[in-house]
Amino acid sequence: MGAQQVRDGFVELYGAEPDGVWAAPGRVNLIGEHTDYNDGFVMPFALPHTAVAAVSRREDGRLRLHSADIEGGVVELEPDALTPGSDDGWASYPAGVVWALRDAGHPVTGADVHLASTVPTGAGLSSSAALEVVVALALNDLYELGLPSWQLARLCQRAENVYVGAPTGIMDQTASACCESGHALFLDTRDLSQKQIPLDLAAEGMRLLVVDTQVTHAHSGGEYGKRRAGCEKGAALLGVDALRDVPFDGLDAALARLGDEEEVRRLVRHVVTEDERVERVVRLLASGDTRAVGPVLTEGHASLRDDFRVSCPELDMVVETAVAAGALGARMTGGGFGGSAIVLADAADVDTLTKAVEEAFAAAGYKAPRVFEAVPSAGARRLG
């Protein structure tokens, strides 16, 4: 979706040129799932797929929102009247950003917004975070708020947690706001420290495929919240602030202390081992042993499937089929309950693996998956 196309849509809709056009990407998470709300480690990178927004500032206390991707006209709101839970549907995400900025004391008086996105919705690729971050970045520029990218990400997370009501962690918004082209982002979600890790798979003869199972998911659903509550219960029972504080070499002792809390034991085991997997992948990439990342991905999927129990038959089929057909590794990515899987493969094997997955889905009677290459791309930026 080009900047000019969105700009033209704004002019047609509102009858005037926008003050500017901005873009924010979706993300794929290489490793580190359900660790962000446990103060742990994650390693996402930005996709080339983006939400693009043409925006103009308003001074009259009106907020007008429109999406080229959603049927329906302009949604008109009053910034003074925005309250958590008052909106539903797609407009709650940009409206929540306006609410979060104002609630933090920033004088946002209104805006005209026209949006279009190429980030697949419901695919576990952070389409909602892209929507939030692009609006936040535009308002940050137009109102000269001077907020750094990491702080915009925090406000966007607050918009999703409080205004929308989805208990997500900080990873998605930070990835959209802060990732750099050609890099994965190693993020400590406790102190928000970041390290850009070079990731040029093509130069090493490899590719990372995203397989969108076309099974949609929703973070505001109850199962995601149950997992988060279970993790908080585990931390409380173990007397730590967050599960990130349980050391990997002390995991067995921690699990023994949880006694017959079997569900909590599974959640704790996943989070602690997943944090260790993120650190392992960082070391492997730093040492140049990128191919060895593959088995770590597959190991992570087994943990998400068996301990965290957020996979589904379609995601399992992608992983099992791809690995059997020669992939270096594969795992589900995102919150789970549908969405996408990633497959690390030698470039020469991409066509064979894609065909194997497509044929397996057809034989099972599943909807045909969408398969595309994931290339580490730039984070949120102004286009014009």
Side-chain angles (χ1 to χ4, degrees), residues 271-309:
V271 172
V272 175
T273 59
E274 186 79 346
D275 273 336
E276 189 276 333
R277 280 186 285 272
V278 177
E279 294 183 295
R280 210 187 320 164
V281 168
V282 172
R283 292 194 299 270
L284 290 170
L285 292 176
S287 68
D289 195 5
T290 308
R291 293 177 64 87
V293 169
V296 186
L297 302 184
T298 309
E299 180 186 317
H301 182 78
S303 181
L304 288 160
R305 180 193 65 209
D306 300 337
D307 278 343
F308 225 73
R309 300 190 179 186

Side-chain angles (χ1 to χ4, degrees), residues 25 27 36 126 128-130 133 160 168-177 219:
R27 66 96 189 97
D36 59 346
S126 297
S128 60
V133 170
E160 189 151 347
T168 54
I170 190 62
M171 173 180 67
D172 296 350
Q173 292 84 1
T174 304
S176 185
H219 271 171

Side-chain angles (χ1 to χ4, degrees), residues 7 23 32 125-126 135 163 173 199-200 219 230 237 262 274 316 339 349-350 378:
R7 180 183 292 273
L125 303 175
S126 297
V135 172
Y163 194 89
Q173 292 84 1
L199 185 65
D200 187 354
H219 271 171
L237 290 172
E262 183 55 35
E274 186 79 346
D316 294 341
D349 295 335
V350 165

Side-chain angles (χ1 to χ4, degrees), residues 38-318:
N38 289 290
D39 283 3
F41 306 119
V42 294
M43 187 179 264
F45 63 83
L47 290 168
H49 307 72
T50 58
V52 180
V55 185
S56 284
R57 174 173 168 163
R58 294 185 70 103
E59 306 293 344
D60 60 356
R62 296 179 68 195
L63 175 63
R64 298 196 292 182
L65 305 169
H66 183 266
S67 170
D69 309 311
I70 307 293
E71 289 188 10
V74 175
V75 176
E76 296 201 23
L77 301 167
E78 295 180 9
D80 287 343
L82 296 177
T83 55
S86 61
D87 305 301
D88 56 16
W90 75 270
S92 64
Y93 294 97
V97 170
V98 174
W99 170 84
L101 285 167
R102 289 168 58 88
D103 190 60
H106 303 293
V108 177
T109 55
D112 286 339
V113 180
H114 174 59
L115 291 149
S117 180
T118 58
V119 185
T121 58
L125 303 175
S126 297
S127 58
S128 60
L131 203 60
E132 293 157 356
V133 170
V134 73
V135 172
L137 181 62
L139 296 175
N140 188 50
D141 287 353
L142 293 178
Y143 282 90
E144 300 179 338
L145 303 179
L147 300 172
S149 295
W150 68 267
Q151 196 167 347
L152 289 178
R154 270 290 194 208
L155 287 165
C156 288
Q157 182 202 14
R158 178 165 166 75
E160 189 151 347
N161 288 175
V162 180
Y163 194 89
V164 179
T168 54
I170 190 62
M171 173 180 67
D172 296 350
Q173 292 84 1
T174 304
S176 185
C178 301
C179 278
E180 295 180 3
S181 179
H183 294 76
L185 178 69
F186 177 41
L187 173 67
D188 182 334
T189 66
R190 170 164 283 170
D191 62 14
L192 298 187
S193 61
Q194 304 176 16
K195 185 175 182 181
Q196 301 287 344
I197 307 293
L199 185 65
D200 187 354
L201 296 173
E204 300 185 59
M206 288 175 280
R207 299 288 187 273
L208 189 76
L209 302 178
V210 175
V211 182
D212 177 3
T213 65
Q214 307 278 1
V215 178
T216 59
H217 74 165
H219 271 171
S220 55
E223 290 301 316
Y224 183 95
K226 288 179 184 177
R227 302 303 189 283
R228 183 163 185 164
C231 290
E232 291 169 354
K233 180 179 180 181
L237 290 172
L238 293 170
V240 294
D241 290 336
L243 293 183
R244 181 260 185 73
D245 296 313
V246 179
F248 179 69
D249 58 7
L251 176 58
D252 289 343
L255 295 177
R257 288 172 56 198
L258 292 172
D260 59 359
E261 293 277 358
E262 183 55 35
E263 182 176 355
V264 175
R265 284 164 54 89
R266 290 197 308 267
L267 298 177
V268 170
R269 181 164 52 226
H270 167 73
V271 172
V272 175
T273 59
E274 186 79 346
D275 273 336
E276 189 276 333
R277 280 186 285 272
V278 177
E279 294 183 295
R280 210 187 320 164
V281 168
V282 172
R283 292 194 299 270
L284 290 170
L285 292 176
S287 68
D289 195 5
T290 308
R291 293 177 64 87
V293 169
V296 186
L297 302 184
T298 309
E299 180 186 317
H301 182 78
S303 181
L304 288 160
R305 180 193 65 209
D306 300 337
D307 278 343
F308 225 73
R309 300 190 179 186
V310 292
S311 189
C312 68
E314 291 86 351
L315 288 168
D316 294 341
M317 177 170 284
V318 174

